[in-house]
């Protein structure tokens, strides 16, 4: 399958057309941004790691009954995915208080939550991805109630499966962001990526951060953390 016209260049990925109108090729970059693009940098090797990790996790999730856009990895940085219309929501699940949740609600980072939470942000860079609730989603015609229900079911299933998987790697899944899309027949599938860019992953013993917070917060050892989390995954994925 060959790359056609570049359709879109985002902060961390490029998307290309293919000869099949239902398939796209995603190409992962080493570019990293934070705070809605305010902070910019590169993380050497990130594109390869995010591509391989996201694909491995999506294959695992497919086996566990979560449909995804994943089709085939074609090389270290590039993957064939099903073309979807992205539902413009960032779906965030949390197991432990961190980041914006810790700040908004005055909870010490690292405090376990009584139950996992879900929240939605409206994917809109000009507005800074504001938090919205289900009523807003319907009022703004971003998704139907049925789609929201499907998305919530899948998002919590993703949490349960990824939490279990990362635990086998000695890693605690603190929180993560996922996105969903609609296939041409309207079927909702998991899309975008699941990687250290989009998850908080802490070493279960030491609490060391093995994710993009090292870049966001200038903690150093960014490349090493991406390599470490990838090697844990490679040792434990089936
Ligand atoms: P937050 O605590 O900053 O709201 O982040 C929650 C989770 O979402 C965390 O795992 C990082 C991820 N995330 C993204 O993937 N993209 C984003 O733009 C932001 C702000 C967070
Ligand atoms: N990727 C996001 C941005 O640049 C933010 C983040 O992941 O923290 O805006």
């Amino acid at each position: 399958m060959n790359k056609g016209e570049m359709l879109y260049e985002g902060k961390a990925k490029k998307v290309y057309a293919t000869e099949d109108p239902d398939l796209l090729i995603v190409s992962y970059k080493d570019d990293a941004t934070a705070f809605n693009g305010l902070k910019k940098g590169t993380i050497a090797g990130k594109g390869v790691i995010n591509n391989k990790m996201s694909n491995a996790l999506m294959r695992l999730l497919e086996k566990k009954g979560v449909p995804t856009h994943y089709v085939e990895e074609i090389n270290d940085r590039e993957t064939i995915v099903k073309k979807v219309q992205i539902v413009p929501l960032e779906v965030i699940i949390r197991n432990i208080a961190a980041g914006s949740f810790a700040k908004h609600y005055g909870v010490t980072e690292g405090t376990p939550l009584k139950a996992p939470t879900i929240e939605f942000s409206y994917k809109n860079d000009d507005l800074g991805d504001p938090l919205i609730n289900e009523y807003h989603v319907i009022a703004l015609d971003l998704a139907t109630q049925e789609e929201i229900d499907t998305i919530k079911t899948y998002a919590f299933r993703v949490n349960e499966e990824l939490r279990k998987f990362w635990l086998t790697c000695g890693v605690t899944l603190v929180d993560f962001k996922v996105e969903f899309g609609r296939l041409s027949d309207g079927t909702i599938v998991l899309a975008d990526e699941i990687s250290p860019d989009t998850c908080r992953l802490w070493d279960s013993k030491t609490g060391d951060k093995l994710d993009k917070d090292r870049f966001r917060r200038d903690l150093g050892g960014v490349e090493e953390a991406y390599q470490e989390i990838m090697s844990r995954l490679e040792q434990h994925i089936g």
Side-chain angles (χ1 to χ4, degrees), residues 90 92 94 98-101 175-177 197-200 216:
E90 300 205 335
I92 297 157
R94 302 177 192 269
S100 67
F101 184 98
D175 57 29
F176 62 91
K177 181 269 295 179
D197 278 19
T198 63
C199 303
R200 287 197 172 94
R216 295 189 187 99

Side-chain angles (χ1 to χ4, degrees), residues 43-171:
I43 301 173
K46 173 171 87 78
V48 172
I49 288 172
N50 286 11
N51 181 42
K52 292 183 173 178
M53 180 177 296
S54 190
N55 293 342
L57 295 176
M58 290 214 186
R59 288 191 294 261
L60 180 149
L61 289 167
E62 284 274 359
K63 282 190 213 148
K64 306 291 182 182
V66 180
T68 77
H69 72 164
Y70 174 76
V71 177
E72 188 190 352
E73 188 168 298
I74 46 178
N75 61 49
D76 275 2
R77 279 181 192 271
E78 294 178 329
T79 295
I80 301 171
V81 298
K82 292 176 189 164
K83 184 175 185 168
V84 297
Q85 177 194 44
I86 287 283
V87 177
L89 297 175
E90 300 205 335
V91 181
I92 297 157
I93 298 268
R94 302 177 192 269
N95 299 304
I96 293 176
S100 67
F101 184 98
K103 198 170 161 202
H104 282 148
Y105 302 115
V107 187
T108 306
E109 189 158 90
T111 307
L113 303 176
K114 285 266 186 209
T117 64
I118 190 163
E119 71 210 48
F120 302 105
S121 292
Y122 176 27
K123 251 176 85 70
N124 184 317
D125 282 342
D126 293 339
L127 301 176
D129 299 340
L131 276 173
I132 58 172
N133 68 31
E134 288 184 33
Y135 291 88
H136 299 149
V137 173
I138 289 168
L140 294 170
D141 202 19
L142 305 180
T144 64
Q145 185 65 57
E146 196 188 348
E147 287 176 328
I148 296 171
D149 292 343
T150 304
I151 285 171
K152 287 198 295 189
T153 302
Y154 288 159
F156 282 116
R157 196 175 301 165
V158 168
N159 186 44
E160 289 316 310
E161 295 303 334
L162 294 189
R163 207 144 69 125
K164 267 192 276 178
F165 170 70
W166 282 118
L167 214 56
T168 68
C169 306
V171 170

Side-chain angles (χ1 to χ4, degrees), residues 169-172 201-210 214 228 232:
C169 306
V171 170
T172 302
L201 299 160
W202 294 354
D203 183 290
S204 303
K205 281 209 188 92
T206 63
D208 282 353
K209 297 184 195 320
L210 300 172
R214 301 206 76 85
E228 172 64 21
R232 301 262 190 115

Side-chain angles (χ1 to χ4, degrees), residues 11 33-37 197 212 216:
K11 295 177 196 138
T33 64
F35 314 117
N36 200 13
D197 278 19
K212 192 177 165 190
R216 295 189 187 99

